[in-house]
Amino acid sequence: MSEKIDFAFLDSGTGGIPYMLSLKEKSPESRCVYLGDTFHFPYGEKSEEEVTLCASESIEKILDLWNPRIVVIACNTISVTALNQLRERFPDVPIVGTVPAIKLAAKVTKNKKIGLLATNATVKHPYCKKLVSDFASGCEVFNRGDPDLISFIEHDLFYASKEERIAAVKPAVDFFCSCGCDTIILGCTHFTHMAEDIKEYFSTVAGKKVFVVDSRDGVSNHALEVVKITSLENQREPKFLPPDMSFFVTSLKNKNDQKEYETLCRNFNIPFGGLLKL
């Protein structure tokens, strides 16, 4: 295994964990580290300027401590609002973004009615409207920003009961069922943790299956292609080398958060690195 960091993942919290796991499944020899910027959570309610500033602070920390070959923005909100600015600010490291899987949804939908479940910032951003225009112009796309569900996933999900999980997805699923959607895009990485709950409850309500799509495959495949052409020649050693796939956060706001992250890490068998202050 590399003694340097290959991929550093950044999200506002736990959402990008399945994206890191997807990449590791494809490339077990790659060394990864993950930073959840929980100090600034949630990103989806911030202005474009705030998102850019917060993400920049986290990337500066990532580069200072770990100097990875690639930074993966495992967050749709950061990607649609600030990716170009971040690439300009950090030209010496490749940055791979994550955007809603609208193109994939347009391919799999049967009735051309698609639901986009994301943050408020993502569903309102012109970039998403352009994705719809470019790849799903023949479909109806029903947008739903759901900060309450994102907060539930970040703070309560990993020790919640089955009943609590279903109750959490109910408002979103009921909305998309009422719109007649047969496909739901998980346009916030947090929602990937609840894909099976969404499918199960949708089937119960609508009496049929729903296509639930996200960007995991596309992002991990792209990151692995980018790393192939990234030189190791000038990469300095990290200041410290954490265990592979370690999960760090920038804030522990209460004891429940500590419990949540420890439970998540046990569930996914990844080391909890603890607090990393910006």
Side-chain angles (χ1 to χ4, degrees), residues 128-260:
C128 277
K129 294 181 173 62
K130 187 175 188 307
L131 287 176
V132 172
S133 175
D134 289 347
F135 301 114
S137 59
C139 302
E140 286 185 272
V141 179
F142 301 90
N143 296 322
R144 180 179 174 86
D146 203 327
D148 290 340
L149 182 55
I150 295 166
S151 181
F152 171 83
I153 293 167
E154 185 66 24
H155 298 297
D156 302 301
L157 171 64
F158 297 101
Y159 52 93
S161 68
K162 183 66 175 178
E163 290 75 17
E164 289 169 331
R165 293 165 70 103
I166 295 300
V169 302
K170 184 179 185 301
V173 172
D174 286 348
F175 170 74
F176 291 127
C177 281
S178 71
C179 296
C181 298
D182 74 347
T183 303
I184 298 174
I185 303 165
L186 304 182
C188 168
T189 56
H190 277 74
F191 298 139
T192 56
H193 290 294
M194 301 199 76
E196 294 307 313
D197 297 293
I198 291 170
K199 290 177 185 177
E200 179 182 332
Y201 182 63
F202 190 101
S203 178
T204 300
V205 174
K208 60 182 179 180
K209 292 183 179 180
V210 63
F211 298 104
V212 176
V213 300
D214 59 60
S215 304
R216 272 177 284 186
D217 269 352
V219 170
S220 56
N221 288 338
H222 182 50
L224 290 168
E225 287 299 317
V226 172
V227 83
K228 289 178 184 177
I229 57 173
T230 303
S231 174
L232 278 169
E233 184 176 347
N234 297 317
Q235 188 186 15
R236 62 170 171 78
E237 296 293 328
K239 287 186 176 178
F240 79 97
L241 192 67
D244 190 25
M245 290 205 299
S246 295
F247 171 73
F248 293 85
V249 294
T250 57
S251 175
L252 291 168
K253 296 178 180 177
N254 54 57
K255 291 182 180 179
N256 283 341
D257 280 353
Q258 177 90 17
K259 179 181 176 182
E260 170 86 353

